Amino acid sequence: MEGLEVSSPEFDLVVDLVGRLKARLIAKTVPGSEYTGWVTLPTDMMRHLNQVTALAEEARRRADAMVVVGIGGSYVGARAACEALGRGVDGVELLWAGWSLSPVMTRRLFDSLGGRDFTINVISKSGGTMEPALALRLLGEYARNRYGEGWIDRVIVTTDPSKGALRRWAGEHGITALDIPPSVGGRFSVLSPVGLLPLACAGIDVAALLSGALQMQHVTESNPLGDDPAVLYAAARCALEQQGRVVEVLTLPGPELHQFGEWWRQLAGESEGKHGAGIWPSLLTLTTDLHSVGQYLQDGRRMLQETFLAFDEIDGEPLIPASAPVADGLDLVANRPLGLVNRIALEGTRQAHRAGGVPGVTISTRRLDAQCLGALFYFFQVAVALTALFHGANPFDQPGVEAYKKSVKARLDSLA
Amino acid sequence: MEGLEVSSPEFDLVVDLVGRLKARLIAKTVPGSEYTGWVTLPTDMMRHLNQVTALAEEARRRADAMVVVGIGGSYVGARAACEALGRGVDGVELLWAGWSLSPVMTRRLFDSLGGRDFTINVISKSGGTMEPALALRLLGEYARNRYGEGWIDRVIVTTDPSKGALRRWAGEHGITALDIPPSVGGRFSVLSPVGLLPLACAGIDVAALLSGALQMQHVTESNPLGDDPAVLYAAARCALEQQGRVVEVLTLPGPELHQFGEWWRQLAGESEGKHGAGIWPSLLTLTTDLHSVGQYLQDGRRMLQETFLAFDEIDGEPLIPASAPVADGLDLVANRPLGLVNRIALEGTRQAHRAGGVPGVTISTRRLDAQCLGALFYFFQVAVALTALFHGANPFDQPGVEAYKKSVKARLDSLA
């Protein structure tokens, strides 16, 4: 933590309060406790892992692409892990549908499906969200033309265990269906079958992902108050917000983590933005955004706090060639790994932003792999839940989303 | 404009001040006037268009991919237009290098180049930016292995007309080089060869792009004060900022415009974030982010203003199939274009956010094509420049970026 008096009595007080909230979160005595099933999800999912990996193996045998139909928490976690880690050996390519209503993106999706075999994973807890429903109409028509009425054999549904239109559909047609635990909300569901099935299909080591999350679950459940990094991070962001740092910038070490940033933005924005309060979540991607909003961080309005995500191990390849086409003055880094320069850029940025008056914290983990990513998912879920609770909000509802849904529904009804 | 008293004496005053700044911008009597060459760039570039399109034609004959090496303003405008409009008939695929130091992204780039013929466009005004220089070392090594010493015949350089390492390199080896006008800074350069050459290679109608920009140039140069939409937009954002709306959310109608949003974020953040002031630029993509930070817009801290980007014409394809696999309650929109529902979602969101207390403006243009995109590029450049001037800042420098560069350089030097 930098630019923050971590040993001040004021900060100790916030840490103490957040730590108490964590104890209540685990004891299920906080607002929205009926939706805290994610706290023990790593343990619970370990028991269902075989079912997920067996389904994934079959999907990989049938096709080399899978269309994942979902929006918000039903898709962004899987996309985050997939873009960060890349497709594994024998993994299928994941394509995303139902995450917008854009005609342009829809046409591009169908163009990319042309001539390829694919399976479909439809993900919606309620089964009634508009975007995935419309995508399923379009995809169903396309798949029927390709595969005939048997197209539904290519579908796996991930939804509520007993309720909703998707569950009924699966039941009526004998479609394979995975459960989203009723106690786990969309944005806390990446470690459930919502995220695990597509990621297993993509050849990502979901056992390692879960084991990383499980390690953090143990930290959360066992550590007293201040020794829990999620408590410290939550306390830091709350303390900084109280000092007027109302925008948080999550600074990512590379573009491969952009979708991870989008996952975090959804988690934080939807959990905390309530009752006229909350930290506004924003992203900065190294080093490209240093040539963009970097200027603002250095010199703009002093309302920002910054959280750096860093990996300890330096990526060894590629090495920077000694031969320079252009006189670039960079012979010092010849034969060194590009990742070392990236790490140096992160350190330099951190120091420059701190000197420029942007306080914040750095979250370091070992390396960018499935295990560490699982730990990060869990870590941020705990920290964001605690921040919302510190604001006095229920972290697990989203009443504001209803306002827009109602407004859209009224307009759609008037088409009749 | 919504949630904003557009006929109040206070707003009239801001419009008047911003209008006067526009007159000074055109008369070149503002801070940084030596970098206002972009104001007449559409006119100027019309004369150089043949050179750009001839080079693009040759590049399209030689290979079906082009690696564009650049960062910040040297690449994001071209990427924005390319992702928004898609590759044209006979256009090459554009691949992006030098926009980060990420080893992961670098390996993925080389994987995607395997076995394909490519050309290279290196873009850097100074010729000395670290990221593109390191990318050129890596790409040079790779290209030499593929094409031998003749690889440099596949390179086109876009740089300062007389200065810098890239210009010298081009001169020494007879490499084709295009000029970035010295009076045009990186983030105002999309309508120069910086953006036009890669876009022409991608088969995008750059003449239409320029003609759209030219229309806006005429509006800017001829319209008195308040009749200029760029003046009104700049005045609205300044007035709202004075009322505590210090974060602006640019709400985009679909994910295909995400990189356009990144272009805007760079333009605004780097031009305005100075002297402890400025509006913090953020993005919201419809409809995916309604299931993300949408909750925050509706109910979070009331420090946001929102700018909607909208296209008047409804995209006609695809039509929503009448047959629904799942009982989704959406038969009302059967046989209607998906784009209509997307437009309804935009209207519903606008109304809901307004009712929730987020004031803002809507920028409407005809449709998502090269001409309208050219107009939007120009429009936002004028509006952002005027906003920075209203803050008393030089819109065209970026002193804060130097702080991070120095900090990184000191660390690199210590490697010796």
Side-chain angles (χ1 to χ4, degrees):
Chain A
M1 282 180 261
E2 296 171 307
L4 183 74
E5 285 302 327
V6 290
S7 58
S8 69
E10 290 80 4
F11 185 64
D12 288 348
L13 190 69
V14 179
V15 172
D16 183 62
L17 287 170
V18 174
R20 284 166 197 276
L21 288 169
K22 192 187 78 167
R24 290 184 53 193
L25 174 72
I26 293 168
K28 294 186 183 294
T29 62
V30 294
S33 279
E34 64 275 28
Y35 292 110
T36 55
W38 57 272
V39 173
T40 54
L41 198 56
T43 313
D44 301 339
M45 285 310 302
M46 281 293 184
R47 287 194 295 271
H48 294 89
L49 201 53
N50 284 345
Q51 185 198 12
V52 168
T53 50
L55 280 174
E57 220 165 282
E58 197 195 324
R60 289 209 300 260
R61 266 198 307 271
R62 292 193 74 168
D64 66 349
M66 171 180 262
V67 184
V68 178
V69 183
I71 195 166
S74 293
Y75 106 106
V76 72
R79 187 167 176 187
C82 185
E83 293 207 5
L85 302 174
R87 201 179 353 161
V89 182
D90 295 332
V92 306
E93 185 179 355
L94 300 183
L95 301 164
W96 313 99
W99 63 287
S100 86
L101 296 168
S102 158
V104 175
M105 299 306 282
T106 304
R107 290 194 296 266
R108 288 181 192 169
L109 170 69
F110 285 117
D111 285 349
S112 69
L113 278 179
R116 299 169 68 183
D117 272 326
F118 60 92
T119 59
I120 299 170
N121 181 203
V122 189
I123 309 172
S124 172
K125 195 176 177 194
S126 70
T129 308
M130 181 174 63
E131 291 90 340
L134 292 178
L136 191 57
R137 284 189 183 226
L138 288 157
L139 197 60
E141 184 178 67
Y142 181 87
R144 192 177 296 112
N145 288 337
R146 283 279 297 277
Y147 299 115
E149 289 306 322
W151 75 276
I152 57 170
D153 298 341
R154 300 185 159 260
V155 176
I156 301 173
V157 158
T158 309
T159 190
D160 184 273
S162 59
K163 287 185 295 194
L166 269 182
R167 173 59 60 178
R168 279 195 300 280
W169 183 52
E172 284 162 13
H173 294 83
I175 296 170
T176 306
L178 287 167
D179 296 349
I180 308 177
S183 61
V184 176
R187 60 186 175 275
F188 289 84
S189 71
V190 60
L191 300 167
S192 82
V194 168
L196 295 180
L197 178 69
L199 289 174
C201 290
I204 284 165
D205 186 347
V206 290
L209 191 84
L210 270 188
S211 83
L214 191 58
Q215 280 180 306
M216 286 309 298
Q217 184 189 327
H218 291 325
V219 169
T220 292
E221 289 176 337
S222 63
N223 275 27
L225 309 180
D227 285 349
D228 185 338
V231 168
L232 283 178
Y233 168 54
R237 35 202 319 258
C238 293
L240 289 168
E241 187 195 6
Q242 288 179 332
Q243 295 168 20
R245 302 302 178 144
V246 293
V247 173
E248 179 178 1
V249 178
L250 180 65
T251 294
L252 305 161
E256 67 274 14
L257 286 152
H258 175 76
Q259 286 294 331
F260 183 83
E262 292 290 353
W263 171 83
W264 171 82
R265 213 164 74 101
Q266 199 236 355
L267 179 73
E270 206 165 56
S271 300
E272 299 171 22
K274 288 163 194 174
H275 315 311
I279 302 167
W280 173 255
S282 282
L283 303 178
L284 186 148
T285 302
L286 292 178
T287 57
T288 192
D289 284 346
L290 299 177
H291 303 257
S292 166
V293 291
Q295 166 67 37
Y296 193 109
L297 269 109
Q298 204 68 47
D299 276 350
R301 192 179 291 270
R302 302 295 80 183
M303 64 179 174
L304 308 179
Q305 53 173 294
E306 187 172 21
T307 301
F308 284 89
L309 192 60
F311 298 100
D312 293 333
E313 289 180 16
I314 301 293
D315 206 337
E317 296 288 339
L319 294 180
I320 296 164
S323 161
V326 173
D328 56 18
L330 291 165
D331 286 340
L332 271 173
V333 294
N335 302 315
R336 308 262 194 167
L338 184 63
L340 175 68
V341 186
N342 200 32
R343 178 67 197 213
I344 287 172
L346 187 151
E347 299 293 346
T349 303
R350 195 158 63 163
Q351 190 244 314
H353 289 180
R354 184 188 177 179
V358 179
V361 307
T362 300
I363 295 159
S364 286
T365 178
R366 204 179 65 249
R367 59 197 301 270
L368 181 53
D369 61 16
Q371 194 179 6
C372 289
L373 208 57
L376 286 171
F377 279 135
Y378 193 92
F379 166 85
F380 278 111
Q381 286 175 356
V382 174
V384 162
L386 294 178
T387 305
L389 290 169
F390 187 81
H391 289 137
N394 176 348
F396 311 116
D397 66 0
Q398 50 282 333
V401 176
E402 297 311 313
Y404 121 79
K405 283 186 179 170
K406 261 185 218 157
S407 172
V408 172
K409 176 133 195 349
R411 281 176 162 74
L412 287 177
D413 287 345
S414 74
L415 287 176
Chain B
M1 284 182 261
E2 296 171 307
L4 183 76
E5 285 301 326
V6 291
S7 58
S8 69
E10 291 81 4
F11 185 64
D12 289 348
L13 191 68
V14 178
V15 171
D16 184 61
L17 287 170
V18 174
R20 284 166 197 275
L21 288 169
K22 192 186 78 166
R24 290 185 52 195
L25 174 73
I26 293 167
K28 295 187 184 291
T29 62
V30 293
S33 278
E34 64 274 31
Y35 294 110
T36 55
W38 58 270
V39 173
T40 54
L41 197 56
T43 313
D44 301 338
M45 285 310 302
M46 281 293 185
R47 286 193 295 272
H48 293 88
L49 201 54
N50 284 346
Q51 185 198 11
V52 167
T53 50
L55 280 174
E57 219 165 282
E58 197 196 324
R60 289 209 301 261
R61 265 199 307 273
R62 292 194 72 168
D64 65 350
M66 172 180 262
V67 185
V68 178
V69 183
I71 195 166
S74 292
Y75 104 106
V76 72
R79 187 167 176 186
C82 185
E83 292 207 7
L85 302 173
R87 200 177 356 159
V89 182
D90 295 333
V92 306
E93 186 180 355
L94 300 183
L95 301 164
W96 313 99
W99 62 289
S100 86
L101 296 168
S102 159
V104 176
M105 299 307 282
T106 304
R107 289 193 296 265
R108 288 182 192 168
L109 170 70
F110 285 118
D111 285 349
S112 71
L113 278 179
R116 300 170 69 184
D117 273 326
F118 60 92
T119 59
I120 299 170
N121 182 203
V122 190
I123 309 173
S124 171
K125 196 177 177 193
S126 71
T129 308
M130 181 174 64
E131 291 89 340
L134 291 178
L136 191 56
R137 283 189 184 227
L138 288 157
L139 196 61
E141 185 178 66
Y142 180 87
R144 193 178 294 112
N145 288 336
R146 283 280 296 278
Y147 298 116
E149 289 306 324
W151 75 275
I152 57 171
D153 298 343
R154 300 184 160 261
V155 177
I156 300 172
V157 158
T158 309
T159 190
D160 184 274
S162 59
K163 285 185 298 191
L166 268 182
R167 173 59 60 179
R168 277 196 302 279
W169 183 52
E172 283 161 14
H173 293 83
I175 297 170
T176 306
L178 287 167
D179 296 349
I180 308 177
S183 60
V184 176
R187 60 186 175 274
F188 289 84
S189 71
V190 60
L191 300 167
S192 81
V194 168
L196 296 179
L197 178 69
L199 290 173
C201 289
I204 285 166
D205 186 347
V206 290
L209 191 85
L210 270 188
S211 85
L214 191 58
Q215 280 179 306
M216 286 309 298
Q217 182 190 327
H218 291 324
V219 170
T220 291
E221 289 176 336
S222 64
N223 274 28
L225 309 179
D227 285 349
D228 184 340
V231 168
L232 283 178
Y233 168 53
R237 24 198 334 251
C238 293
L240 289 169
E241 187 194 4
Q242 288 179 333
Q243 294 168 21
R245 302 300 177 145
V246 291
V247 173
E248 180 178 1
V249 179
L250 180 65
T251 293
L252 305 160
E256 67 274 15
L257 286 152
H258 175 77
Q259 285 295 330
F260 183 83
E262 292 290 353
W263 171 83
W264 171 82
R265 213 164 73 101
Q266 199 235 355
L267 180 71
E270 206 166 56
S271 300
E272 299 172 22
K274 289 163 195 173
H275 315 312
I279 301 166
W280 174 255
S282 282
L283 304 177
L284 187 148
T285 303
L286 292 177
T287 58
T288 192
D289 285 346
L290 299 177
H291 302 257
S292 167
V293 291
Q295 166 66 37
Y296 193 109
L297 270 107
Q298 204 68 45
D299 276 350
R301 191 180 291 272
R302 301 296 81 183
M303 62 179 175
L304 307 180
Q305 53 174 293
E306 187 171 22
T307 301
F308 284 88
L309 191 60
F311 298 100
D312 293 333
E313 289 180 18
I314 301 292
D315 206 338
E317 296 290 338
L319 293 181
I320 296 163
S323 160
V326 172
D328 57 17
L330 291 164
D331 285 341
L332 271 173
V333 295
N335 302 314
R336 307 263 193 167
L338 183 64
L340 175 68
V341 186
N342 200 32
R343 178 67 197 213
I344 287 171
L346 187 150
E347 299 294 346
T349 303
R350 195 158 64 163
Q351 191 244 313
H353 288 180
R354 184 187 178 179
V358 179
V361 307
T362 300
I363 296 159
S364 287
T365 177
R366 205 179 65 249
R367 59 196 302 269
L368 181 53
D369 61 15
Q371 194 179 6
C372 288
L373 208 57
L376 286 171
F377 279 135
Y378 192 92
F379 165 84
F380 278 111
Q381 287 176 354
V382 174
V384 163
L386 294 178
T387 304
L389 290 169
F390 187 81
H391 289 137
N394 175 347
F396 310 114
D397 64 2
Q398 49 282 333
V401 177
E402 297 310 312
Y404 120 79
K405 284 186 179 170
K406 262 185 217 158
S407 171
V408 172
K409 176 134 193 355
R411 280 175 163 74
L412 288 178
D413 287 346
S414 74
L415 287 176

